[in-house]
Amino acid sequence: MRHFGHIAPAVRGDLFFREPCDFDAGSPAPVLAVALGATLYSPATRPRLADDVVKQARRGVVSMVLCLEDSIEDSEVPGAEENLVRQFADLAERGDGLPLLFIRVREPHQITDLVRRLGTSVRLLSGFVLPKFTQERGVPFLEALTEAESVAGQRLFAMPVLESPELLHLETRQESLQKIARTVDTHRDRVLALRLGVTDFCSAYGLRRAPDMTAYDVRIVGDVIADVVNVLGRADGTGFTITGPVWEYFRLQERMFKPQLRRSPFQEGRAEELRTALIEHDLDGLLREIELDRANGLLGKTCIHPSHVAPVHALSVVSHEEFSDAQDILRPERDGGGVLRSSYTNKMNEVKPHRAWAERTLRRAQVFGVAKADVGFVDLLAASLAE
């Protein structure tokens, strides 16, 4: 699979200076962590779940989470587990071309139980999402995952979700983050990414952000995200990929503030109709939040609606300017440091301070590709939605 693989090759050729690379479930973990992109969640109760997975893969989705936790009622769990086993068997008969598939469980015992029940179709499973992750809850989950790997005979990744009150409450946050850091470091080889459960953070204080606002506008949430990145997202080799929080909205609500989406990029790309559609579906706020995710050290995003996927991926493509800067900074002859003017002659590139940014940018370029110099996110988004 590859990002933008659902777009015709001729169209990709017009969009990309360097096209996204191919990857699959067996690719190195650092590649997969970046490649997750917009991870689409779906309740495990859906009766045509296999059809949904195939359809979304054809529309550009490369990672999905099939949820047994908060998206379904407590009484639905046994039936949802049975449905998952049936749907995986169905998918196994359909062949390749499927996204990376993860199961979000409630309790550790579900991990080993489901791996056994999936039988040979377990080969389609990339791992498990571990909810409300703390050191105390996380260790049993990770131990169950180790056992499940032995049963399955294959690599299975963990994606812990950071969403517990201990992380939110100021008096317990630092200690909780340190314990989580030690726990995930011990299991570093199987922790693919850390996910943020912002809805649960808001719930602890009876809050819910409006579609006009990003997670970063809710100060208590923004502070937690900053502390999580501070401890768990460092660029010194100790950090992990941390994914952006879910965007809850996917249809028109009454708007209090004016649209956040500037008109000029869409006029230049002759895509005013696309801008109007994004605003009508409250996706201008999503675009703003994606930009803030990346500015704050997050990569990829949890998504609960297919309409969110294309914007996340379009804004993940590396611009030609970013790519040029990153390449200049990482040239072998620049190992000694120094300052140079960017090839676009509009900024300073300071080699040593910008090195970690450049390395991260080139990893994203490998997976999401590099746009041509005259191609912007509007062009990428329009092409994705046209397929």
Side-chain angles (χ1 to χ4, degrees):
M1 73 186 85
R2 63 160 66 183
H3 282 288
F4 302 96
H6 66 300
I7 296 177
V11 177
R12 289 203 307 270
D14 290 337
L15 294 172
F16 288 98
F17 174 75
R18 287 196 179 181
E19 290 199 23
C21 70
D22 291 319
F23 61 91
D24 58 32
S27 296
V31 172
L32 293 182
V34 177
L36 287 168
T39 301
L40 183 63
Y41 276 53
S42 178
T45 50
R46 292 180 69 88
R48 299 181 64 86
L49 186 58
D51 291 336
D52 295 339
V53 169
V54 171
K55 180 172 71 173
Q56 296 307 326
R58 290 173 179 167
R59 293 179 174 179
V61 173
V62 303
S63 64
M64 290 187 69
V65 172
L66 312 178
C67 185
L68 293 168
E69 209 227 358
D70 286 347
S71 68
I72 65 174
E73 296 182 11
D74 297 347
S75 61
E76 294 180 305
V77 173
E81 291 178 345
E82 293 176 5
N83 187 52
L84 271 183
V85 174
R86 288 195 302 270
Q87 301 294 336
F88 264 80
D90 186 351
L91 288 169
E93 295 178 357
R94 303 194 188 201
D96 299 325
L98 301 176
L100 304 172
L101 296 176
F102 301 85
I103 298 175
R104 186 183 188 186
V105 292
R106 295 182 174 215
E107 300 296 339
H109 71 85
Q110 289 178 295
I111 293 177
T112 48
D113 180 56
L114 283 169
V115 164
R116 291 190 176 96
R117 292 165 65 182
L118 287 173
T120 57
S121 63
V122 74
R123 64 183 174 82
L124 305 179
L125 182 65
S126 290
F128 291 88
V129 175
L130 314 180
K132 300 172 177 60
F133 192 92
T134 61
Q135 182 187 55
E136 292 74 16
R137 279 180 55 84
V139 169
F141 274 118
L142 292 167
E143 289 175 346
L145 186 65
T146 301
E147 181 182 349
E149 281 189 327
S150 299
V151 173
Q154 69 185 56
R155 178 179 67 173
L156 292 171
F157 286 114
M159 290 201 290
V161 185
L162 309 182
E163 56 187 345
S164 300
E166 295 94 325
L167 278 174
L168 191 61
H169 298 158
L170 189 60
E171 67 272 19
T172 55
R173 186 182 307 165
Q174 183 175 358
E175 181 182 3
S176 181
L177 279 172
Q178 293 296 334
K179 288 181 177 179
I180 289 171
R182 289 193 293 269
T183 302
V184 294
D185 186 60
T186 301
H187 297 269
R188 177 172 292 275
D189 290 345
R190 60 171 50 91
V191 176
L192 185 60
L194 304 176
R195 312 199 72 91
L196 288 165
V198 164
T199 302
D200 280 46
F201 288 158
C202 290
S203 172
Y205 287 87
L207 305 175
R208 185 173 191 179
R209 70 186 189 274
D212 309 278
M213 298 183 180
T214 71
Y216 303 91
D217 294 317
V218 183
R219 286 295 304 274
I220 195 167
V221 172
D223 288 348
V224 176
I225 293 175
D227 287 345
V228 168
V229 173
N230 190 323
V231 176
L232 296 166
R234 298 176 185 179
D236 59 1
T238 66
F240 294 82
T241 294
I242 303 171
T243 64
V246 67
W247 182 258
E248 298 179 349
Y249 296 96
F250 50 87
R251 61 175 178 264
L252 182 64
Q253 305 286 335
E254 183 177 357
R255 182 179 293 277
M256 182 177 295
F257 300 113
K258 68 180 182 180
Q260 303 175 62
L261 210 54
R262 290 190 302 113
R263 187 180 301 273
S264 55
F266 292 85
Q267 289 176 329
E268 293 164 7
R270 295 190 297 278
E272 179 64 25
E273 290 183 6
L274 175 58
R275 176 181 182 271
T276 301
L278 292 172
I279 292 170
E280 287 178 349
H281 290 83
D282 282 319
L283 295 183
D284 54 325
L286 168 64
L287 297 177
R288 173 65 176 158
E289 186 165 286
I290 296 167
E291 286 288 279
L292 288 171
D293 286 341
R294 194 161 76 215
N296 285 278
L298 310 184
L299 185 62
K301 201 163 188 64
T302 295
C303 295
I304 47 85
H305 195 271
S307 64
H308 299 170
V309 173
V312 173
H313 290 169
L315 284 171
S316 297
V317 175
V318 173
S319 71
H320 188 267
E321 181 175 345
E322 289 176 309
F323 182 69
S324 298
D325 288 340
Q327 279 199 314
D328 287 345
I329 290 166
L330 295 176
R331 292 187 189 283
E333 62 269 24
R334 298 291 180 185
D335 280 348
V339 177
L340 61 151
R341 186 175 62 175
S342 73
S343 57
Y344 274 67
T345 67
N346 61 357
K347 71 178 75 65
M348 173 195 74
N349 287 326
E350 194 167 354
V351 173
K352 289 185 177 179
H354 289 145
R355 177 170 292 275
W357 169 87
E359 291 170 346
R360 184 170 184 168
T361 298
L362 291 189
R363 286 195 294 270
R364 184 161 53 92
Q366 177 188 7
V367 172
F368 287 98
V370 179
K372 287 186 174 180
D374 59 347
V375 171
F377 93 93
V378 175
D379 305 290
L380 293 158
L381 182 56
S384 294
L385 296 177
E387 297 297 320

